[in-house]
Amino acid sequence: MAKKSKKQQQSGGTPATVALTTAGVPFTLHAYDHDPAHPSYGEEAVEATGVSPDRVFKTLVADVDGALTVAVVPVAGSLDLKALAAAVGGKRAAMADPALAERTTGYVRGGISPLGQRKRLRTVLDASADAHATIYVSAGRRGLEVELAPADLATLTEATVSPIARA
């Protein structure tokens, strides 16, 4: 996990929640007890929050032509690597090494947030997010989700919005 700044230590927030607060973006936190034995971080978040898997989004880190890229897709679907590459003008995409994703973002797997990353990465948000008033994404640690408007997420991450998920 990234070293916390004084502001984070004082607020008790994650880099993601600090970024949202600093930007003045309205959001709601949803905490739950993370079960390390659960086979899927995303499905665990869906079960714990009771929200449709179309509204809970997972943050995946991929390598597109040698550049790490964040893909934010619904838990209900999977990432279409060809569509991700096309969305950023690339040719080839593959899932990034998990250890590299953790080092680069400053978050642990299952808690990677598209917000407040150690190194800002190019981000693509699946277009299905626009069908919802709010969506849920990781708030920067396992067992903590943040609910916010998809437009706010896209603005804060400077995301490209494109259809990158498969059902």
Side-chain angles (χ1 to χ4, degrees):
M1 187 73 156
K3 189 169 184 162
K4 290 185 176 182
S5 68
K6 278 189 177 181
K7 185 174 184 178
Q8 289 168 307
Q9 290 169 355
Q10 291 167 352
S11 71
T14 67
T17 60
V18 170
L20 288 164
T21 301
T22 301
V25 171
F27 66 94
T28 304
L29 284 178
H30 300 274
Y32 58 91
D33 290 329
H34 166 63
D35 176 4
H38 200 289
S40 167
Y41 299 116
E43 289 174 16
E44 179 186 28
V46 167
E47 292 165 10
T49 59
V51 175
S52 165
D54 294 336
R55 283 186 58 213
V56 179
F57 283 64
K58 54 191 171 187
T59 305
L60 304 171
V61 181
D63 180 317
V64 179
D65 297 337
L68 290 182
T69 303
V70 172
V72 184
V73 297
V75 168
S78 61
L79 174 61
D80 181 336
L81 289 165
K82 283 185 177 184
L84 175 64
V88 296
K91 294 182 187 216
R92 206 169 282 143
M95 293 308 296
D97 173 70
L100 178 60
E102 288 179 344
R103 277 194 313 275
T104 305
T105 63
Y107 294 117
V108 297
R109 222 166 38 115
I112 294 178
S113 177
L115 300 156
Q117 296 178 356
R118 179 180 289 152
K119 179 182 179 193
R120 181 177 225 152
L121 299 175
R122 180 170 51 176
T123 301
V124 181
L125 174 61
D126 185 64
S128 68
D130 287 338
H132 307 286
T134 61
I135 60 171
Y136 290 58
V137 296
S138 174
R141 69 175 164 82
R142 296 171 186 156
L144 188 63
E145 295 286 308
V146 61
E147 180 183 1
L148 75 165
D152 288 336
L153 177 62
T155 298
L156 283 176
T157 59
E158 298 178 6
T160 299
V161 178
S162 184
I164 59 167
R166 286 191 295 236

